Amino acid sequence: MTRVPAAPPSIAKLDPPNWWAAHPLNPVRLLVRGENLFGARVKVSGSGVTLGRAKVNARGTALFVDAKISPGAKPGARSIALETAAGRAEAAFEILPRQKKSERAGFSSDDVIYLVMPDRFAVGDPARLAKPDATRDRSKPRSYHGGDLRGVIEHLPYLQDLGVTALWLTPLYANIDGHHPPTAWSAQPFTDYHGYGPVDYYAVDRRLGTMDDLRELVTAARARGLKVILDQVSNHTSPAHPWVADWPTETWYHGTPEAHAPNSFHTWAVADPYATEELKRGLLDGWFGGLLPDLNQDDPEMAAYMIQNIVWWVGMSGADGMRHDVVGLVPRTFWKKAFAALKRAHPGIRAVGEVNGDWPLHLASYQSGRPGFDGLDIGLDSVFDFPLRKALRDVFLEGRPMDALPSLLSQDRVYPDPSRLVTCAGLHDDSRFMGHPSATTDALRLALSFVLTTRGIPLIYYGDEIALGGGEDPDNRRDFPGGWPGDARDAFTSAGRTPEENAVFDHVRRLLSLRAGCAALRRGRLINLFVDERVYAYARASGSERALVVLNAAAQPRPYDFSAEPLGAADGETLDDGLGGARARVENGRVKGVAPARSASIFLFDAARGKSPRRG
């Protein structure tokens, strides 16, 4: 029996609001949210679009329909109309010009990623700050502070000068406008300034700017040789998302606000042959933090919606790569479909996923190149090297023996391609490196020296280049000094930094310059040469080019002595430190030197050119 609506249909939202002609994903699945949609006939004004059969949910509040766009459809505005016996409603839909056939730049070990949280980086539109906004309060660490996309645009010269080559922006979706209620981790109401609580997957958050601002950022970044990586959230929404009160399908979410699986971060459970279904359900179905509603990617409509959204953001922005949030909390079958669609729509794009845990074997099963524990290769290019992050913090902050680093790297054989792992000393979910009780700028320089010279794709968390402090979340997300009008100092400039901050900044800038000029440091084979309690020496080799790195975490100078044979260095050769701190010499087939206290040294040379030293 067909239900007859008692009132005319109404449309609250149409997702997606536009799509491209001649797109690899065609037809596009439209979701219309509204009221009184029972029995609606769906029509489109204008040519070039053919609609399939509509499906309406049990409450008459969501309608799904395929829209097939003709390859030759002319770009421009269309209208999607819903008609019932009680009336008619329309929503705008636009056909976009076909995308140019050019590959995304992606990212690789030739790059250095800089993680930016736009709300905490810089203000580019002071007029926005002049407008009253109950969600903005710099005195509260869990409120919006006012940074925006234009602030990132205005500081691209700073990033270019530093020497990074790619920007990872935390999520830009529209997030909650009101305040979340207090929770176990926050005694005060708070907002999702970080972007991980979407309320609209097809809008840039108004406090950060507009889609035009994002496109301008991508264009301006590319003009300076910088790539842009967007952040994507498929696991959950904000509890304030309209879906939570009105599910588009009966299985859109896992659980309800009143009854849902407790959240689990035991990411190993999904691959554990001994884990109970309850353990796995807490991982895949649990509400993040007990607060964020967990999306059900096993629902085919939910999965189709999210996959299209991933593709849409790249197409609309022109971004070169994507970072995917909490990949380990989402079914792998979904990711296999999602990454296949992303690569089909945007050849050359690269994706990195967050898979929490300090177990290389588990992380390796998520990287593309071979089947994982379930027989699936999900197609994910890269994962964050969390095991190496833990090891370097153990060494440089906790004083553990230096061999924790090469011993961890010895497990690289489990990865399909360790050169594609993203390495870091810390991220926005960690306490700041400089927030550790034993942290020093010497330790930070050593940690960043290691990250920027070992294998993988290095990442710098905004502010680490100036030794920005901070404890656990949200203190680890402090504002960048000088990013706001009226700040007491401007750490984007040398004059605005303290001597200690300048020492770290100059060190990082020099490291990035050496890395940019040396292919061996970016993509060379890693060779472990020497390790004792506090000294670690290794080389990177590419063709005849060599980079020798010596790290000394001791509080006093330490000698080293190891075979020169893997380097191809000749007797009598003197090697100069590209960082200006030391020299090494080759005698009787051995490399000998004294590493200054708490120092990193980098020696660059070409083994085929008479073993002549190469200064950076």
Side-chain angles (χ1 to χ4, degrees):
M1 178 176 172
T2 303
R3 297 183 62 174
V4 178
S10 64
I11 297 176
K13 199 165 191 306
L14 170 64
D15 290 338
N18 48 38
W19 205 253
W20 295 266
H23 194 276
L25 271 62
N26 189 25
V28 59
R29 187 71 165 168
L30 302 181
L31 166 58
V32 181
R33 287 195 295 110
E35 293 183 349
N36 303 309
L37 307 184
F38 298 114
R41 298 178 300 279
V42 189
K43 298 181 179 180
V44 60
S45 66
S47 61
V49 180
T50 303
L51 298 177
R53 183 176 180 179
K55 181 177 77 173
V56 180
N57 70 357
R59 293 172 301 285
T61 56
L63 179 148
F64 298 90
V65 64
D66 282 340
K68 187 172 184 178
I69 301 173
S70 301
K74 292 183 178 180
R78 304 293 193 276
S79 178
I80 304 295
L82 305 185
E83 295 181 351
T84 70
R88 172 187 173 95
E90 293 187 13
F93 181 77
E94 183 181 6
I95 297 180
L96 302 173
R98 65 170 62 198
Q99 295 179 327
K100 296 179 181 179
K101 291 185 178 180
S102 61
E103 291 199 353
R104 302 295 180 192
F107 53 86
S108 70
S109 62
D110 280 337
D111 289 302
V112 177
I113 301 170
Y114 189 89
L115 167 54
V116 175
M117 185 168 281
D119 179 69
R120 301 302 163 91
F121 193 60
V123 175
D125 183 5
R128 186 178 288 117
L129 296 184
K131 300 175 182 177
D133 189 338
T135 67
R136 187 180 64 243
D137 188 341
R138 281 188 82 188
S139 71
K140 295 179 180 179
R142 292 192 185 276
S143 289
Y144 281 89
H145 288 186
D148 53 25
L149 291 172
R150 299 217 64 81
V152 180
I153 293 171
E154 290 183 1
H155 289 88
L156 290 175
Y158 166 83
L159 300 175
Q160 183 184 25
D161 178 64
L162 178 62
V164 298
T165 65
L167 310 180
W168 160 18
L169 305 170
T170 50
L172 305 175
Y173 311 115
N175 272 234
I176 187 170
D177 275 338
H179 287 70
H180 286 319
T183 69
W185 66 79
S186 174
Q188 296 178 336
F190 65 96
T191 55
D192 288 331
Y193 65 90
H194 42 65
Y196 293 98
V199 297
D200 187 347
Y201 276 96
Y202 281 96
V204 173
D205 192 283
R206 64 175 178 81
R207 286 151 294 217
L208 301 180
T210 66
M211 182 59 73
D212 285 341
D213 292 330
L214 176 57
R215 281 194 286 260
E216 182 181 342
L217 191 161
V218 171
T219 300
R222 188 164 290 137
R224 292 181 176 275
L226 300 169
K227 303 170 183 177
V228 174
I229 300 168
L230 298 183
D231 204 331
Q232 189 272 336
V233 184
S234 290
N235 180 66
H236 55 260
T237 68
S238 166
H241 197 296
W243 291 338
V244 178
D246 184 15
W247 296 20
T249 70
E250 296 303 310
T251 55
W252 199 259
Y253 286 107
H254 292 123
T256 66
E258 297 74 27
H260 52 263
N263 191 214
S264 166
F265 291 101
H266 302 312
T267 53
W268 48 266
V270 71
D272 180 10
Y274 310 112
T276 64
E277 288 306 310
E278 183 179 9
L279 267 177
K280 294 179 181 179
R281 189 166 60 252
L283 177 72
L284 295 175
D285 298 358
W287 283 31
F288 195 97
L291 174 71
L292 301 178
D294 192 77
L295 292 166
N296 177 16
Q297 297 80 16
D298 290 328
D299 179 316
E301 295 289 4
M302 171 72 256
Y305 180 98
M306 194 58 66
I307 289 170
Q308 287 181 174
N309 186 253
I310 293 170
V311 170
W312 183 86
W313 275 93
V314 176
M316 289 296 291
S317 67
D320 301 289
M322 295 202 85
R323 179 263 186 186
H324 296 271
D325 190 50
V326 291
V327 165
L329 306 187
V330 176
R332 288 164 55 86
T333 48
F334 166 80
W335 288 124
K336 185 174 178 63
K337 295 175 184 176
F339 294 134
L342 178 62
K343 300 292 180 68
R344 186 165 68 252
H346 304 293
I349 197 168
R350 295 291 178 264
V352 57
E354 179 190 28
V355 182
N356 286 302
D358 296 324
W359 317 282
L361 188 61
H362 181 63
L363 268 65
S365 66
Y366 280 83
Q367 189 186 32
S368 64
R370 71 169 74 111
F373 54 83
D374 52 2
L376 294 179
D377 180 341
I378 65 172
L380 177 61
D381 302 290
S382 181
V383 294
F384 293 99
D385 195 345
F386 292 138
L388 195 61
R389 176 193 60 180
K390 180 181 185 302
L392 73 85
R393 287 193 168 207
D394 286 347
V395 168
F396 298 118
L397 289 175
E398 303 288 351
R400 304 279 174 82
M402 191 69 89
D403 71 354
L405 299 176
S407 66
L408 191 282
L409 290 166
S410 73
Q411 300 179 53
D412 273 2
R413 66 174 64 89
V414 305
Y415 293 107
D417 186 355
S419 74
R420 288 191 272 118
L421 301 177
V422 173
T423 59
C424 64
L427 292 169
H428 58 316
D429 293 323
D430 302 321
S431 60
R432 285 272 184 181
F433 189 96
M434 290 303 295
H436 192 277
S438 63
T440 65
T441 53
D442 285 337
L444 177 60
R445 283 196 295 266
L446 278 165
L448 293 176
S449 296
F450 173 65
V451 168
L452 292 168
T453 57
T454 192
R455 60 92 179 111
I457 306 168
L459 178 147
I460 298 171
Y461 182 33
Y462 83 93
D464 277 358
E465 76 277 13
I466 59 165
L468 190 63
E472 298 292 341
D473 174 10
D475 190 43
N476 57 343
R477 300 166 180 178
R478 296 181 184 180
D479 298 344
F480 197 103
W484 277 251
D487 277 1
R489 64 192 184 93
D490 184 0
F492 287 111
T493 67
S494 177
R497 295 190 284 267
T498 67
E500 196 170 49
E501 289 172 343
N502 268 321
V504 176
F505 179 89
D506 292 343
H507 179 78
V508 173
R509 187 170 180 269
R510 183 60 176 156
L511 278 168
L512 293 175
S513 176
L514 289 172
R515 180 183 173 85
C518 177
L521 279 175
R522 301 192 307 274
R523 60 181 101 102
R525 178 171 55 96
L526 178 63
I527 307 169
N528 285 329
L529 298 166
F530 176 89
V531 63
D532 67 13
E533 186 75 9
R534 304 305 289 155
V535 176
Y536 174 30
Y538 53 94
R540 304 291 303 280
S542 177
S544 62
E545 190 174 54
R546 300 287 184 271
L548 167 62
V549 182
V550 181
L551 306 177
N552 177 18
Q556 58 279 323
R558 296 286 288 262
Y560 53 85
D561 183 335
F562 52 84
S563 172
E565 190 275 331
L567 297 174
D571 280 352
E573 186 170 2
T574 298
L575 305 178
D576 291 320
D577 181 6
L579 295 175
R583 280 188 169 185
R585 64 188 184 281
V586 184
E587 295 179 358
N588 300 319
R590 312 284 296 176
V591 176
K592 300 181 180 182
V594 177
R598 299 189 181 96
S599 71
S601 299
I602 302 177
F603 307 96
L604 306 180
F605 62 98
D606 192 321
R609 293 190 309 184
K611 314 302 189 295
S612 58
R614 178 180 169 187
R615 296 172 176 82

